[in-house]
Amino acid sequence: MSKIGIPRTLAYFVYYPFWKAFFEELGHEVVLSSPTCRAILDDGVKEAVNDACIPIKIYHGHVLDLVGKVDWIFCPRLVSVRKHGDFNTETFCPKFLGLPDMIRQAIDKLPKLLDVRVDLKKGKDELFQVFSQVGKQLGNGVDEIKRAFPIAVKAQKNYCKLLSREILPHVALEMLEQNCKQIPQETEHDLKIAVVGYPYALYDAYINAGLLKILEKEGVKVFTQDMLSDKTLDRQARSLPKSMFWYFSNRAVYGGLHFMKQKDIDGIIHVTAFACGPDSMVDRMLEIECRRHNSTPYLSITVDEHTGEAGVRTRIEAFLDMLRYRRDRDEN
Amino acid sequence: MKISFPHMGHSHIAFKWLVENLGHECIVPPEPSKKTLDLGVRYSPEFACIPFKMLMGTYLEVAEQGAEVILTSGGCGPCRAGYYWVMHQYLLEEMGQDLKVIAFEPPLCDIKDFWKKLRWIRKTGGVSWKHFAQVMKITWEKIKAIDDVEIYSHEIRPYEIKKGDTTRALTRALDDLDKAEKIDQIMEARNAGIRRLDEVLCDKLRNPLKIGIIGEIYVVLEPAANHYLQIMLGEMGVQTHRSIYLSGYTRESAITNGGDAIYQIARPYLDEVCIGGHGVNSIGETILYSQHGFDGVVQLAPFSCIPEIVAKSIIPSVSRDFNIPVLTLFIDEQTGKAGVQTRLEAFVDLLEMRRQSNEKATRLVV
Ligand code: SF4
Ligand code: SF4
């Protein structure tokens, strides 16, 4: 039995239920790094190359948080998760592609890295192959892996089901963690806003200074791209001259495009990471598309190491005021 | 049709010839200047990489001169470059510019689309396929000849006695190539150009330092983007060799999609063949330069360039293992020529010192 560390950021927000179920079924212990906090951020900033974006720096911090506590760190190299995009070119941001290499270079006394290459566009069976490799590296036998795999798939399905019931991923993860079946009560709201962006920027309350909480408190019901089915999202690809190359960016763009066509959505917020390469395109494109779609109100919030709650709150309040004003004006 | 294209080093000489001989009018893109950059910065997203902004500026400049179509390259990712044209088109439309951006995706990705676009250019220009093929061939020869004289100029420059002689000889050679119309004329102009460079008064006793230039294609290929770094180094008495030339680039990236050898070399450090841009190449080439006895390497990258950031994070160990100093220059709109010069001078001093102490060390061994 090994202790497997999982950094609580990046793909964690999307695939954690699968990973956890798989490792635990194989008889290992899963150790999560602490939720992002000042110390993790500072460590990350110190260890990572200084030109990296904030999410990658934070990932370094999370890895450091696990050093000394675990036998392995699970750091898959995400290359593709499906066949998609023009000429099937969809992949991940280059920083995801080089992630295990960057971590190896940057961090001393690193535990062993579980760094399989995940390239699912190769075929249907690939996911199983990938996790067979993972299991074997951990010393598990084929039979054990064959038993654990479907259980992990099921755990992931359950997670997706929660998301499709308009539960936010970080809330859903919490529910799974505490084995809670009760669907949380919907809070009172008078506005509906779609917040799109990378999962690791949206659901990590530290990075974005509690943006989702602020919205909720202000009487907003939040939708994100992760509540939509792949089918709904991918339908939007048709309205673009060319899909982007990055899985998470495509999801954010498609999500934005979908929501701006929904009549009951009052506005769109895009959360973007400071100095994020792909986002320089995503952000401007969403802005332009929003204008072309009936001038849907659009707010872009950039997060970086200095994002403070006050700043985010002010911008959100101004945005909400504008939305409410617009609505009242239209109703009269 | 009034056609233009991105400015990259001296390649416009060949592309102008191409466009005109396909029966179109060519709007030759001006060399990127302060004005280009200002325009580009004003109308681009803040965090777009510098090549994006420079191209944006160029497009606006040629639009002003009446260009109707831009021909450029596409790409299959994973880097942003392959998505440039989509974004540029969006932005141009937003500005109300009537300029169409046509991008050639690598033929390996989508051969149909590639042919469709070629046919469109040929038809609207009113030339036959036979003529078309002939023109393509001559263009290719021009590109190679341009690269040949430029490569040679970087070898000669550190020896020149009178500063600027090499650059003047190169300019004249390029002018001749510009005028050449047939393959034999191109060959002649190329050979004359090499001769011209040979005639530059040189001090052959010098033993110049050798520096390899690696990094992202646009800032490596466009001297206006890198503050004429190779000329600057040459005039400091350094011989430079760069890994990317258009003739090499189009051969590898667009036609065979190859470059496997370089990936193999980089593998111990970066186990992923395709991180976009020239990230993997940068690592592999650092190793190659070290093995070929170069004194140092300069990595050129646009600020916030993702693949080069990944490369940069890995290069320190490569540099240590292969005992070769690497200077990384990230370029953005605030980078000034003086800043680049100072950093290069310091780097060159460091290399000089290393060389001297190495020589002492070897003498000790003897
Ligand atoms: S997509 Fe942006 S934020 Fe995410 S890793 Fe890449 S550069 Fe960083
Ligand atoms: S390689 Fe670098 S400069 Fe080129 S598109 Fe990619 S991020 Fe931008």
Side-chain angles (χ1 to χ4, degrees), chain A residues 51-72:
Chain A
D51 315 276
C53 57
I54 260 296
I56 291 294
K57 288 183 179 167
I58 287 182
Y59 189 85
H60 282 66
H62 279 278
V63 170
L64 213 66
D65 185 58
L66 291 166
V67 169
K69 298 181 191 157
V70 295
D71 310 310
W72 292 89

Side-chain angles (χ1 to χ4, degrees), chain A residues 10 53-56 93-96 198 200 246 248-249 273-279, chain B residues 306:
Chain A
L10 299 190
C53 57
I54 260 296
I56 291 294
C93 163
K95 285 182 191 155
F96 277 77
Y198 303 131
Y200 43 92
W246 319 285
F248 286 131
S249 309
F274 183 80
C276 163
D279 266 355
Chain B
I306 319 172

Side-chain angles (χ1 to χ4, degrees), chain A residues 77 105 117 242 246 289 291, chain B residues 78 83 90 94 272 317:
Chain A
R77 188 193 302 276
Q105 298 295 329
R117 186 170 190 273
K242 180 176 179 179
W246 319 285
E289 287 289 349
R291 249 231 342 281
Chain B
Y83 210 72
Y90 261 99
E94 281 302 289
E272 179 59 49
S317 8

